């Protein structure tokens, strides 16, 4: 049976397996207490990466940063030992301008040998991740071949295989995953090219999961989804400068990658309950509750405040009309949530304004918050059937017609 973990740097969940990129804001004792209280296991952390997340080159492949890298590994080892973290990832960092690839790779190779030995003493496997050059230019380890070369050169080093990054670099994910399972220590996944949930892009995740399930591979896995803007992916180490530059491209640069824009254009199917010249309302294929409807503007904007005021009003009015129809329907909800997640830190997984109209039912299974946080795993398990969505949509459409 496959086990999945959520990256708590971006996602929150009550499930028992989680992953945190950089947990170092809290001490090991505090994290240990929180993990125990919430019955969770921490399955992966990163070695502190120096200035990489702030736009620098990092510490793993930079000549002169060896001492800082070893201190970072020591900190990661302390956390791994205290929290029984089985896997620790090293981010190779960016090639230093003016230095050859060979010079930076030599530094990285020595540092990886040190990390493997030190983290092994802490009970953890060291993994190395390739990050595609579109999301992070100059990243030293950016291909399957790069990972293979270091794994073969450094005993006990494993790959962190990210399906999204491999696909972005032109790899056929399923066969290269199958052929390299013995060298893989951790698998991460999101679809490509948009880095949304499985099924939103070109990767065959049924085959990916079947390959993992039918193999002896026993690592945990986590779900990561959602793009922030253009090529800046929310769970990817893209610098603030890159994010700023991507934002300057405006809405038009994002439309070709936007799932909701494709629904508006008719390029992707949807089960619609309402539409007019300004907005569209359709069933969420990964509903948090039955009859979960999304209302979107036809105009592409990521943030609510960027919509023209009249269009914001139309969005809310349409949401209220849909809710009225749901209240009047045979579904008989006890309440309705209206919800907009605005920006990646608010867990906006599609960078196009959307209003959730979410019915609540008496006895519908615990707190709303927990159901919301469970959604990443529902994405992995697959969408609700078209027949079930259409049945509820037909009832909502009937009530909307009646209420005209």
């Amino acid at each position: 049976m496959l086990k999945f973990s959520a990256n708590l740097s971006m996602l929150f969940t009550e499930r028992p397996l989680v992953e945190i990129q950089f947990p170092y804001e809290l001490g090991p004792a505090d994290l240990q207490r929180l993990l125990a209280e919430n019955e969770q296991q921490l399955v992966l952390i990163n070695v502190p990466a120096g200035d990489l997340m702030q736009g620098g080159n990092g510490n793993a492949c930079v000549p002169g940063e060896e001492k800082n890298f070893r201190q970072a590994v020591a900190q990661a080892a302390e956390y791994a030992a205290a929290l029984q973290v089985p896997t620790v990832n090293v981010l190779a960092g960016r090639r230093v301008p003016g230095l050859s690839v060979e010079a930076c790779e030599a530094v990285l190779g020595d540092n990886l040998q040190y990390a493997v030995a030190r983290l092994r003493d802490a009970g953890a496997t060291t993994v190395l991740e390739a990050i595609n050059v579109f999301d992070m230019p100059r990243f030293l380890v950016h291909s399957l071949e790069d990972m293979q070369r270091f794994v073969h050169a450094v005993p006990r080093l494993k790959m962190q295989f990210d399906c999204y990054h491999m696909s972005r670099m032109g790899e056929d994910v399923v066969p290269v995953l199958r052929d390299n399972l013995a060298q893989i220590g951790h698998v991460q996944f999101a679809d490509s090219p948009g880095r949304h949930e499985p099924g939103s892009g070109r990767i065959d995740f049924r085959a990916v999961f079947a390959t993992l399930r039918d193999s002896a591979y026993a690592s945990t896995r986590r779900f990561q989804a959602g793009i922030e803007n253009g090529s800046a992916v929310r769970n990817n180490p893209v610098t603030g400068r890159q994010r700023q530059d991507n934002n300057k491209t405006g809405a038009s640069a994002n439309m070709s990658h936007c799932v909701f824009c494709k629904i508006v254009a008719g390029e992707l199917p949807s089960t619609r309950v309402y539409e007019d010249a300004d907005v569209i309302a359709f069933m969420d294929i990964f509903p948090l509750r039955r009859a979960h409807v999304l209302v979107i503007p036809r105009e592409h904007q990521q943030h609510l405040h960027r919509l023209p005021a009249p269009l914001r009003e139309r969005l809310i009015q349409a949401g209220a009309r849909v809710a009225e129809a749901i209240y009047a329907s045979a579904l008989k909800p006890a309440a309705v949530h209206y919800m907009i997640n605005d920006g990646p830190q608010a867990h906006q997984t599609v960078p196009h304004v959307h209003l959730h109209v979410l019915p609540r039912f008496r006895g519908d299974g615990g707190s709303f918050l927990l159901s919301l946080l469970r959604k990443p795993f529902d994405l992995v398990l697959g969408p609700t059937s078209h027949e079930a969505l259409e049945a509820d949509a037909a009832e909502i459409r009937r009530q909307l017609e009646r209420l005209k």
Side-chain angles (χ1 to χ4, degrees):
M1 179 178 177
L2 296 181
K3 293 180 289 183
F4 297 88
S5 63
N7 185 337
L8 288 195
S9 296
M10 303 309 302
L11 301 172
F12 298 88
T13 177
E14 79 283 6
R15 297 297 178 113
L17 293 169
V18 301
E19 176 181 327
I20 304 175
Q21 290 177 312
F22 299 101
Y24 306 107
E25 291 183 3
L26 293 177
D30 290 330
L31 282 169
Q32 192 172 44
R33 174 180 55 81
L34 290 170
L35 289 166
E37 288 176 356
N38 291 280
E39 299 181 340
Q40 300 204 20
Q41 176 191 354
L42 183 56
V43 299
L44 184 138
I45 61 176
N46 289 340
V47 171
D51 63 355
L52 182 65
M53 309 306 290
Q54 291 74 47
N57 298 318
N59 54 17
C61 72
V62 180
E65 287 290 318
E66 291 87 350
K67 181 178 179 180
N68 289 333
F69 179 79
R70 293 192 175 206
Q71 291 173 346
V73 169
Q75 186 177 18
E78 176 190 4
Y79 278 68
L83 303 173
Q84 298 183 316
V85 180
T87 313
V88 179
N89 180 42
V90 173
L91 290 167
R94 296 180 178 86
R95 178 183 58 80
V96 180
L99 293 182
S100 67
V101 171
E102 292 75 15
C104 294
E105 286 187 342
V107 173
L108 177 61
D110 291 342
N111 281 337
L112 287 171
Q113 291 193 38
Y114 175 82
V116 168
R118 182 70 177 83
L119 292 168
R120 188 186 183 207
D121 290 341
T125 297
T126 303
V127 294
L128 178 69
E129 178 182 18
I131 295 177
N132 75 78
V133 295
F134 306 103
D135 291 343
M136 183 170 280
R138 289 195 294 112
F139 200 82
L140 187 67
V141 176
H142 55 261
S143 68
L144 176 67
E145 182 182 354
D146 289 339
M147 288 195 294
Q148 288 173 329
R149 188 167 62 255
F150 282 103
V151 165
H152 292 152
V154 180
R156 299 189 181 89
L157 177 67
K158 297 289 186 179
M159 299 181 195
Q160 179 165 300
F161 188 96
D162 190 307
C163 298
Y164 163 76
H165 288 304
M166 291 296 95
S167 177
R168 289 285 280 150
M169 292 303 294
E171 300 288 354
D172 191 348
V173 171
V174 174
V176 298
L177 174 65
R178 182 178 57 244
D179 294 345
N180 289 274
L181 277 171
Q183 286 77 45
I184 292 173
H186 192 74
V187 174
Q188 297 178 322
F189 59 91
D191 219 329
S192 173
R195 208 173 194 182
H196 293 294
E197 67 272 10
S200 62
R202 59 178 176 236
I203 300 176
D204 183 357
F205 276 102
R206 290 186 182 275
V208 168
F209 297 147
T211 298
L212 293 169
R213 184 181 59 245
D214 297 340
S215 74
Y217 179 71
S219 177
T220 56
R221 357 222 173 278
R222 60 127 172 151
F223 175 85
Q224 82 185 48
I227 67 171
E228 177 177 347
N229 214 333
S231 63
V233 181
R234 76 177 193 184
N235 194 31
N236 194 57
V238 180
T239 71
R241 181 179 181 84
Q242 287 173 308
R243 292 177 191 268
Q244 182 180 10
D245 290 345
N246 285 330
N247 287 339
K248 290 178 182 177
T249 62
S252 61
N254 296 305
M255 292 174 65
S256 62
H257 300 291
C258 177
V259 173
F260 289 168
C261 285
K262 291 181 179 179
I263 288 175
V264 170
E267 297 173 10
L268 288 177
S270 64
T271 305
R272 302 189 183 193
V273 299
Y274 174 80
E275 61 182 299
D276 59 29
D278 299 310
V279 301
I280 296 174
F282 54 91
M283 307 299 289
D284 191 325
I285 63 171
F286 301 104
L288 296 175
R289 289 292 188 271
R290 184 178 175 183
H292 181 174
V293 174
L294 300 176
V295 185
I296 67 171
R298 291 181 181 272
E299 177 180 324
H300 179 93
Q301 289 292 347
Q302 179 175 1
H303 299 287
L304 183 65
H305 68 272
R306 291 180 179 167
L307 286 178
L311 186 52
R312 287 199 301 268
E313 293 177 7
R314 289 291 304 121
L315 183 73
I316 301 303
Q317 289 168 356
R321 285 195 63 191
V322 169
E324 184 182 9
I326 294 174
Y327 272 121
S329 73
L331 297 167
K332 302 299 182 187
V336 170
H337 283 286
Y338 298 91
M339 183 172 61
I340 294 177
N341 299 331
D342 198 277
Q345 296 304 317
H347 305 289
Q348 182 186 23
T349 56
V350 179
H352 185 126
V353 173
H354 50 289
L355 170 65
H356 296 262
V357 179
L358 182 59
R360 294 299 310 280
F361 302 92
R362 290 183 176 86
D364 61 3
S367 73
F368 165 68
L369 179 60
L370 291 183
S371 70
L372 173 62
L373 301 179
R374 189 157 52 238
K375 184 164 184 173
F377 295 91
D378 296 336
L379 296 178
V380 172
L381 296 175
T384 300
S385 71
H386 173 72
E387 291 76 13
L389 293 176
E390 179 54 39
D392 286 343
E395 173 64 8
I396 296 171
R397 288 194 296 266
R398 279 195 293 272
Q399 296 303 325
L400 283 169
E401 184 65 26
R402 186 181 68 81
L403 292 168
K404 278 185 178 179

